Amino acid sequence: MTHVHVVGLGMGPQHLTVEGAAALRAADYVLAARKGDVDELLEVRRAVCADHGVTLVEVADPERDRDQAADYPAAVRDWHAARVAAYAAELGARGGTAAFLVWGDPSLYDSTLRVLEQVADRVPLTWDVVPGISAPQVLAARHRVVLHEVGQPVHLTTARRLPEALACGQRNVLVMLGSEGSLGALEALADWSIWWGANLGAAGERLVAGRVSEVLGEVRTARAAARAAAGWVMDAYLLRAPSAGEAVA
Amino acid sequence: MTHVHVVGLGMGPQHLTVEGAAALRAADYVLAARKGDVDELLEVRRAVCADHGVTLVEVADPERDRDQAADYPAAVRDWHAARVAAYAAELGARGGTAAFLVWGDPSLYDSTLRVLEQVADRVPLTWDVVPGISAPQVLAARHRVVLHEVGQPVHLTTARRLPEALACGQRNVLVMLGSEGSLGALEALADWSIWWGANLGAAGERLVAGRVSEVLGEVRTARAAARAAAGWVMDAYLLRAPSAGEAVA
């Protein structure tokens, strides 16, 4: 029986927890996907493994069809199926105790747990999960804000689904999986506040905060600069409607 | 100028991050509230401080008026004002670099950042925030679930506001700040799934998962048992409506 520790790394090695480090040291090896020829996040994982005396085993990551935008769940399913086959082959052949180093937290917009459930149909497998710091938390920490007003909700969703969150009346929304194009939806929220961040926790981190109408241009510029500097960009942002008091004033 | 590191401890010392530990070691002292004569969470903080060679300074915590249920924001404001005065006095007198060890994450249902903003009106103060593992993440890790379905939102709210989340059509809701009484709202969600946990990360942790109609009694029993064992209980739970497929089947 192969066992897997699914370890949330947080948004960088500075976020590794005491129990995350212990899980790494208890593992025989770490499986990590290689995406393309240059993979900065793989190199971060490699350094973390070296620090904790555990071997990193690379698995070539299948290509994800990002043009299949009209059927997002299907695109994700296909990509998962290819990952399942690749991980099942490695875990079946190696056995023992493996670990995965998940960027952020395994419970939020990450596929590792769903992939493992399918790997377990092919290879005898048990697993546990160690939580990690997620992008919304780093965003809030950098801007020194709470994610909601006192006693109020926060709605976490994807940039793709932001319009439906707004349509159903959400007034405090944390958005992940953004894209350049999806920022257009913010133009309708001129008097809302935004706390935005890109490549949070990494060297090329960018932050912008203010009233949407005043800072949306700055957000677009900072997003492009983050991508230019790092070769990749992931952003997250908190949107909050003006309070009743502000709207009256 | 006094500086404060607001450090998310997570749900116990096992969740302290690399950067959280560094912030503690860089502090001259840690300020911590004492709640009543026996305060288990204070003792955990004391042990963490001892491990990192930093002095813990106790501040008597003002009583919060929990009977003021009809005006929750006002009750919270009064409690904050008393905390502000107590912390301003200590920080003003001691100066240097202080740290707070926040249970969970400072960005989620925690008052520390709001208190500090008010302390800064009385004492020259700067501060930064180090994120910590929050209850929803530990809940998800224990149950080995993702907090949402693929590409779908998750709505974080309080037990008090669960009814309005349901009324506006939310079908995947993470509930915090629960009470025994608030579990009654779940009786209307018989065919929903629940992943529940109490005292997450602590020795008396309890977990229950299943269809609401089948496990709600077990949740009530486990909640009472957690309180009896630890003298306190904090719970969190994920609620998910049956998917269209399940509802048809």
Side-chain angles (χ1 to χ4, degrees), chain B residues 224-245:
Chain B
R227 182 194 291 280
W232 56 279
V233 62
M234 290 195 289
D235 65 353
Y237 44 99
L238 177 65
L239 294 168
R240 185 170 298 164
S243 67

Side-chain angles (χ1 to χ4, degrees), chain B residues 20-63:
Chain B
L24 280 185
R25 288 192 303 268
D28 300 314
Y29 56 100
V30 168
L31 281 192
R34 165 176 283 286
K35 304 183 184 195
D37 291 337
V38 181
D39 184 338
E40 183 185 332
L41 301 189
L42 176 62
E43 296 315 312
V44 173
R45 289 181 173 92
R46 192 186 306 285
V48 170
C49 288
D51 281 350
H52 294 84
V54 59
T55 305
L56 183 141
V57 175
E58 285 183 29
V59 181
D61 201 51
E63 286 288 314

Side-chain angles (χ1 to χ4, degrees), chain B residues 74-222:
Chain B
V76 170
R77 272 197 305 272
D78 292 351
W79 181 51
H80 285 188
R83 279 199 147 177
V84 166
Y87 288 142
E90 285 292 344
L91 290 167
R94 293 176 183 273
T97 299
F100 285 83
L101 274 172
V102 172
W103 210 261
D105 184 273
S107 77
L108 214 53
Y109 301 111
D110 183 80
S111 62
T112 307
L113 292 176
R114 292 189 178 103
V115 168
L116 279 182
E117 284 173 11
Q118 293 172 57
V119 170
D121 291 337
R122 302 178 178 218
V123 176
L125 199 69
T126 56
W127 64 96
D128 58 63
V129 180
V130 177
I133 301 293
S134 63
Q137 299 175 284
V138 179
L139 178 74
R142 292 296 193 270
H143 289 293
R144 303 184 304 164
V145 294
V146 176
L147 288 172
H148 51 82
E149 293 184 283
V150 176
Q152 296 287 329
V154 53
H155 189 79
L156 270 72
T157 194
T158 64
R160 181 184 301 268
R161 292 191 179 274
L162 173 60
E164 70 193 54
L166 299 174
C168 90
Q170 296 303 325
R171 298 175 59 81
N172 187 65
V173 186
L174 194 296
V175 181
M176 293 180 72
L177 307 185
S179 61
E180 169 59 31
S182 63
L183 289 175
L186 306 191
E187 286 164 13
L189 308 175
D191 61 343
W192 287 43
S193 297
I194 183 170
W195 293 267
W196 176 90
N199 296 5
L200 290 158
E205 178 177 288
R206 298 288 198 288
L207 302 168
V208 176
R211 192 165 288 244
V212 170
S213 59
E214 290 164 11
V215 302
L216 185 53
E218 193 182 340
V219 165
R220 292 188 198 273
T221 305

Side-chain angles (χ1 to χ4, degrees), chain A residues 175-197:
Chain A
V175 181
M176 293 179 71
L177 307 185
S179 62
E180 169 58 31
S182 62
L183 290 175
L186 306 190
E187 285 164 14
L189 307 175
D191 61 343
W192 287 43
S193 297
I194 184 171
W195 293 267
W196 177 90

